[in-house]
C-alpha cells in the first residue's frame, strides 16, 4: 500500500463513515470518494463492505480512467461514474452517491426538486435537476461510465456549472453530490436530503406552491457565496 | 437442550436481535427463524417474549411439520407459516416476519409495491407482490399453516421463484422475507421497508409515476446477481 | 409520605418514564397513573414536571373523586379524567394520556381510526373511536371531569366495553389508553401510535382502502385474547 | 472578554446546544440569542460554527442596534433580526431561529398553521401566522434588519401581541420563536415543530379539517396561562 495515497485514503474513510451517522445510507447503499488531482487518482469505498468493517487501508485507489492503481479490494460498483466526473471537473475533490430516502423518491418520480425556500437558496440558485434515465443502448453498454456523462450532459443542458450546482438526481436511480473536498460533498448530501424532504412536505401542504422569488434566491445565495458574503467566519 | 441445535439457535438469536436495532419491530411484533435442512428443523423466537429478554437458549426448535422438538417455551404464533415455507423451499435458510411500518401499510392497502427505482431493482426484478387475503374457510381453519400456502400460491400465480423474489406482503397483514440464511432474510426485511417507504413517497410526489424501464431493471439486478456481477467482494 | 402508596408510586413512576423512551411525548405532554382499587386511590405524575426530574416520591396520590390525599406537588391537570375512569372501571389499573403525533392527528381530524390490518386486530376488533368534542357548557364547566364522562359515553354509544377497547381518541384533543395495570396502558399507547401511523399511510396509498374483513378480525383477536389463545407464554 | 456578559453567554450557549438535541437543526442552520435588557445587549451564536465546536466564550455580544460590542467572532448572519426584535420587545429575553422541517415546509407553502387541536391551544389561541415575503426593495436593502420589521408588521396586522404569540413563520424562509428567556424560546421552537407536524398530518387525513372551536381554545389556553391557571407547579 503506497504512502502517497495516505491522505486521500484517510479523507475518504472519514467521509464514508459520516454517511450512516447522518442517516443517509442503509447497509452499503452509498459511497464517497476523495480525489488528488495532482496524482490524478481518487480513493473510494470498496464495493459491498459494511460501514462498520471499513478502515482507511481498505479504500481503493483508482485513476481518472477508472483503473485500480492501488488496493486489495474491488472498488465501488459506481467507480466509473466518479472517474468521469473527476476527469471533467478539476475543482472537485470529493463525490458522494447515496440512496437517501427523500432525494431518491424525487429521482424515482423523475422530478426536479423545485426551489421553494431559503434553505435551498442558501446552497444553490436553481431547482435541483433530475437527469433523465439513459437510453437503452447506453444502459446496456458501459453503464456507470455513461452515468457520469448523463450527469455532465444534464448540467450542460440546464446551463448549470458544477461550481454552482453541487447536487443532482439521476432519474429512476438516486442522488450524486460533490464539492471542493469530500467533507463538503457529504455536507451537500445531507443538505439535499433535507431540502428534498421540505420540498416534499411543501407540495403536500400546497400542491400549487410557487418557486421562491428571484430576489430572495439572490439574497440568500449571495450572503453565503457571493463576493460580499457575510456567513461563517 | 440438545447440542445439535446450537448453531441455528445462535443464528436465530442474533438475527432476532437485529430487528429492533433496524427499527423494524415494536415490542414483540416480529420473528426470525433459522433452518437446518439436513436435520429438517428450524430455530424460532418464542412467542411474545420481549427482545431484551431473549437468549439463544430460549429459541424453540421446530420440525418442518410444525412440531416442537426441543425447547421449553412456546414458539412464535407464526411458526406454522415458517414450517410450510421451509418444507417447500430447500434453499432457504432463514425467514423473517415483521410488521414494519411502510411495508405493512402497503399490505393493508392490498397493493403490490411497484418497482420505481434502482434501489428496488438491485434486489429483485418484479413488483413486490401482495398476496390477497385468504377466504374465510382457510382463515377459520389452520390459519398460520394456510398463510404459508397463500405465499406459495401467490408466487406461483405470479410466476416468481423464491430464489429471485425474497419478499412478499400478505394482504391485510404484513410482510415476510427470506434468504439463504437468516442474516440475508433480516437484510431483506430492512431493504423491503426502505423500498416501501421510497415507493410511498414516489407516488405521493407523482401519483402517475411509472415503473422502472426494463433495461434498467436488468442492468441493476444483473450487476449484483447475474453471472457477471461486479458488486461486492 | 405514606408507605401504603409506595407500590403505586413506583409503578406510576416507572410507567411515566417509559413515555419519552417510546417517543410518545414531547416535554411534559403526557401522564400515566397507577391505581389501587382496594384503597380507591391512584398515583399520578405531578403537573408540568419534566420527565428527567421525576422521582417516585413526586407522584401525587389522588382518590377516585379527584382529591389529593398524599404528596407535596400539584397533580397532572388531567387528573379528574383519570379519577372518573377509575371510579367507573373496577378492572383498570393504569391510564395513560399522551399527545403522540399520529394518534393526535386523527383526533384533530375528528376521525375514528379504521381497522385496516392485523396489527390493529391483534389488539381490538373495532375501529378506534374518536369521541366528539364536548358542547360548550361542559367545556366551560368542570372540563377534565367531563372529559372522563365523554369517554364513558362514547364507549357506551359504540357499545364497546372498556375490557375490549383499551384506547380512545378525544376529538380535537388527543388519545387516552388504559389497561389492567399501567404497564399495559403504556403498551397500548405505543400500539395506538403505531396503528395510527399505519392507518394514515394506508389511506394515503389507497384512499378507498377497505376495513379488514370480519373473519380476519376475529382470527387475530382470538389468537391473542380468546379462550384458546396461543400467543405468548 | 468582559465578565458582565458571562450570564447571557452561558445562557445562549446552553440554549444553542439544545437545538441539535431536540432535532431542530441540521449542521449550523439555527441560532439562539439571550438578551440582557438592562445592558441593552444580547449574546448570540457565532455564524457558521458547528454546534459541537461551540463554547460559551464564542458567543458574540451585540447591542440592540446590531453592533458587536464584545467577542472575537462574527455573529450569526441573522443577528440584525434579533436586534430589531429585542429593541421593540422589552419582555423578551430569548429568540430562536431554526429551519426545522415541518415548520419550514408551512413557511415555504406561505400558509398559516391552523389551530386544529389542544396541543396548539395549550400554547396560543390563534393560527400561527406566516408573514408574507418582503418586497424586492426590502430584500435588496438591509435584509435581516427588514426581516425583524416584517415580523413586527405581521403581528401588528394580525392584532397579535408578542406576549400571546411567541412564534411566527417568515414566508419562503423559516420560523422564529421567542420567550421571556432563551429556554422558553427553545421550548417554543420544539412545540412549533410538533404542532406543525400534527397540523400537516391532520390536513392529510382530512383536507377539510376545521379549526378548534373557540370554547376549547379558551379552555386550554386559560388552564395553562390564565389568571386561574392550574397547570404546572
Amino acid at each position: 500500500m503506497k504512502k502517497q495515497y495516505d491522505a486521500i485514503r484517510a479523507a475518504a474513510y472519514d467521509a464514508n463513515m459520516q454517511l450512516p451517522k447522518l442517516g443517509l445510507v442503509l447497509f452499503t447503499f452509498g459511497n464517497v470518494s476523495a480525489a488528488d488531482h495532482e496524482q490524478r487518482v481518487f480513493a473510494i469505498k470498496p464495493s459491498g463492505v459494511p460501514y462498520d468493517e471499513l478502515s482507511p487501508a481498505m479504500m481503493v485507489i483508482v485513476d481518472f480512467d477508472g483503473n485500480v492503481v492501488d488496493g486489495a479490494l474491488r472498488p465501488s460498483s459506481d467507480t466509473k461514474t466518479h472517474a468521469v466526473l473527476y476527469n471533467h471537473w478539476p475543482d472537485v475533490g470529493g463525490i458522494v452517491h447515496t440512496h437517501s430516502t427523500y432525494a431518491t423518491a424525487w429521482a424515482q418520480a423523475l422530478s426536479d426538486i423545485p426551489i421553494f425556500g431559503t434553505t435551498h437558496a442558501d446552497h444553490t440558485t436553481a431547482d435541483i435537476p433530475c437527469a433523465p434515465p439513459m437510453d437503452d443502448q447506453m444502459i446496456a453498454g458501459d453503464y456507470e461510465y455513461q452515468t457520469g456523462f448523463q450527469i455532465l450532459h444534464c448540467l450542460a443542458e440546464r446551463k448549470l456549472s458544477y461550481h454552482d450546482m453541487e447536487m443532482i438526481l439521476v432519474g429512476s436511480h438516486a442522488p450524486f453530490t460533490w464539492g471542493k473536498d469530500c467533507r463538503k460533498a457529504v455536507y451537500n448530501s445531507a443538505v439535499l436530503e433535507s431540502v428534498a424532504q421540505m420540498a416534499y412536505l411543501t407540495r403536500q401542504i400546497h400542491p400549487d406552491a410557487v418557486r421562491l422569488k428571484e430576489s430572495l434566491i439572490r439574497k440568500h445565495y449571495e450572503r453565503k457565496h457571493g463576493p460580499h458574503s457575510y456567513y461563517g467566519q
Side-chain angles (χ1 to χ4, degrees), chain A:
Chain A
M1 221 169 53
K2 300 183 188 151
K3 280 250 167 197
Q4 75 216 69
Y5 306 133
D6 281 1
I8 52 173
R9 277 203 162 100
Y13 169 75
D14 287 347
N16 270 292
M17 296 308 286
Q18 286 303 306
L19 296 188
K21 282 187 197 155
L22 288 163
L24 298 172
V25 292
L26 175 68
F27 298 126
T28 60
F29 305 177
N31 46 72
V32 185
S33 66
D36 177 335
H37 278 273
E38 289 199 11
Q39 302 191 72
R40 294 188 62 78
V41 293
F42 58 99
I44 193 165
K45 188 178 167 295
S47 182
V49 178
Y51 287 95
D52 57 6
E53 298 175 13
L54 282 188
S55 67
M58 294 168 87
M59 298 296 122
V60 187
I61 306 300
V62 181
D63 69 23
F64 286 4
D65 296 317
N67 306 306
V68 173
V69 297
D70 194 41
L73 298 170
R74 190 193 290 187
S76 165
S77 54
D78 298 301
T79 293
K80 282 189 186 168
T81 309
H82 294 239
V84 167
L85 298 177
Y86 285 127
N87 208 16
H88 286 76
W89 292 347
D91 298 333
V92 162
I95 295 173
V96 179
H97 172 52
T98 78
H99 288 221
S100 70
T101 307
Y102 285 88
T104 302
W106 283 94
Q108 293 189 160
L110 302 178
S111 303
D112 295 356
I113 301 178
I115 182 166
F116 281 136
T118 61
T119 322
H120 188 133
D122 282 337
H123 298 93
T124 183
T125 61
D127 296 353
I128 295 161
C130 180
M134 288 173 252
D135 63 38
D136 292 354
Q137 219 171 344
M138 285 161 77
I139 292 167
D142 200 346
Y143 173 64
E144 291 80 11
Y145 184 77
Q146 296 292 355
T147 299
F149 283 101
Q150 193 73 357
I151 291 170
L152 295 174
H153 293 154
C154 177
L155 289 185
E157 204 172 69
R158 309 290 186 101
K159 297 187 174 43
L160 293 167
S161 146
Y162 73 89
H163 293 97
D164 300 330
M165 175 58 73
E166 299 185 326
M167 42 189 80
I168 199 167
L169 309 175
V170 175
S172 304
H173 185 24
F176 283 80
T177 67
W178 51 89
K180 68 177 172 8
D181 55 35
C182 56
R183 274 177 71 111
K184 182 70 192 309
V186 168
Y187 170 93
N188 283 334
S189 280
V191 167
L192 170 57
E193 181 63 7
S194 178
V195 164
Q197 182 178 9
M198 285 176 181
Y200 169 80
L201 295 171
T202 302
R203 272 269 178 84
Q204 297 290 114
I205 293 171
H206 188 18
D208 300 321
V210 291
R211 290 177 82 249
L212 189 61
K213 63 180 182 170
E214 204 54 35
S215 56
L216 269 172
I217 292 176
R218 276 295 134 206
K219 181 67 193 179
H220 269 265
Y221 192 70
E222 296 298 329
R223 76 177 195 166
K224 261 195 150 169
H225 307 278
H228 307 295
S229 78
Y230 46 94
Y231 184 89
Q233 300 300 325

